[in-house]
Amino acid sequence: MNDAPLLGDAKAAVTIVEYSDFECPVCRNLHDVLRGMLPNYAGKVRLVFKDFPLEQLHPWARTAAIAGRCAYQQDPKAFWKMYDFSRQSGIISAANAWTPRREWDGC
């Protein structure tokens, strides 16, 4: 999990691994739960993100996963901005998967 986006203390006793698709509406609900929960367990819980694009259901899932990975490689904090953006906007497409990333540094 060393090459995966990580949120929280790397030495936390509890690790949550989220396998997710940026277009998935159920994953969007999980995002809201995790973002609400994590601050209450600072230093005790860490979140690790793993891409799991469901292309059969979500046509832009792989594009979004690639954009997220690119963001992570440029700056791990930029990945989490994209993570939050995808959950707030609810729509990932060829147009908007790359636009926010360009604003953060370009890939």
Side-chain angles (χ1 to χ4, degrees), residues 32-100:
D32 296 341
V33 170
L34 290 173
R35 282 301 199 185
M37 178 197 74
L38 289 173
N40 297 328
Y41 296 95
K44 298 177 184 177
V45 176
R46 68 180 174 158
L47 173 64
V48 176
F49 183 89
K50 293 291 203 173
D51 293 304
F52 192 71
L54 300 171
E55 295 176 278
Q56 308 87 327
L57 301 172
H58 308 121
W60 296 106
R62 182 162 306 277
T63 300
I66 292 168
R69 188 55 53 171
C70 177
Y72 175 72
Q73 290 173 352
Q74 295 295 316
D75 177 3
K77 291 179 184 177
F79 170 84
W80 294 106
K81 289 180 183 180
M82 182 170 173
Y83 175 85
D84 290 336
F85 170 80
S86 72
R87 301 322 196 215
Q88 293 164 2
S89 70
I91 307 238
I92 293 289
S93 68
N96 72 11
W98 292 104
T99 302

